[in-house]
C-alpha cells in the first residue's frame, strides 16, 4: 500500500527550496531590478486568501498551510531584498 503523504512532504521540500536560487542571486548581485515586484505582491495576495480559506476548512490541511506560509515568507524576502538593494543603488 502506498503512503500518499510522502508526495506532500516531497512537495513541501521543493516549495522550501525553489525560490532559494533567486534569493541567492539577488544577494550576490546586490540588485533585484529584473524582478517584478508586482508579480510577487500578487502571488502573496493569492497566498493570503488561500491561507484564509485553508485555515477555515475542517480538518485543516497543515501540509498545504505550511506550503503557503513558506511561499509567502520567501516572496516577502525577495520583495524586501529587491527594495533594499534598489534603495542602496539610488542613494
Amino acid at each position: 500500500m502506498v503512503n500518499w503523504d510522502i508526495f506532500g512532504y516531497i512537495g513541501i521540500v521543493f516549495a522550501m527550496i525553489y525560490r532559494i536560487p533567486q534569493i541567492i542571486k539577488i544577494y550576490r548581485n546586490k540588485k533585484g531590478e529584473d524582478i517584478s515586484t508586482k508579480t510577487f505582491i500578487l502571488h502573496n495576495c493569492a497566498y493570503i486568501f488561500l491561507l484564509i480559506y485553508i485555515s477555515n476548512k475542517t480538518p485543516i490541511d497543515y501540509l498545504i498551510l505550511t506550503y503557503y506560509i513558506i511561499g509567502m515568507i520567501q516572496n516577502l524576502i525577495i520583495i524586501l531584498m529587491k527594495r533594499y538593494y534598489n534603495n542602496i543603488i539610488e542613494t
Side-chain angles (χ1 to χ4, degrees):
M1 176 150 235
V2 176
N3 183 357
W4 294 104
D5 289 343
I6 191 70
F7 291 99
Y9 296 121
I10 292 170
I12 290 295
V13 169
F14 283 118
M16 289 176 13
I17 63 172
Y18 86 91
R19 285 185 194 90
I20 292 175
Q22 187 68 58
I23 292 169
I24 291 170
K25 182 179 177 182
I26 294 169
Y27 177 75
R28 283 186 180 158
N29 294 334
K30 306 292 190 238
K31 63 181 181 177
E33 61 202 22
D34 56 338
I35 295 172
S36 170
T37 302
K38 291 177 186 175
T39 299
F40 282 94
I41 290 171
L42 285 171
H43 202 193
N44 272 356
C45 287
Y47 282 154
I48 289 167
F49 283 98
L50 289 166
L51 280 168
I52 292 168
Y53 172 74
I54 294 284
S55 63
N56 287 299
K57 299 286 283 181
T58 50
I60 294 175
D61 188 339
Y62 290 103
L63 194 61
I64 301 297
L65 193 66
T66 303
Y67 166 75
Y68 292 136
I69 291 170
I70 290 169
M72 196 164 69
I73 290 169
Q74 289 176 333
N75 280 348
L76 287 171
I77 289 169
I78 290 171
I79 291 167
L80 293 173
M81 287 177 72
K82 175 183 166 70
R83 287 190 177 182
Y84 174 76
Y85 289 123
N86 285 349
N87 286 339
I88 288 176
I89 291 171
E90 291 173 2
T91 56

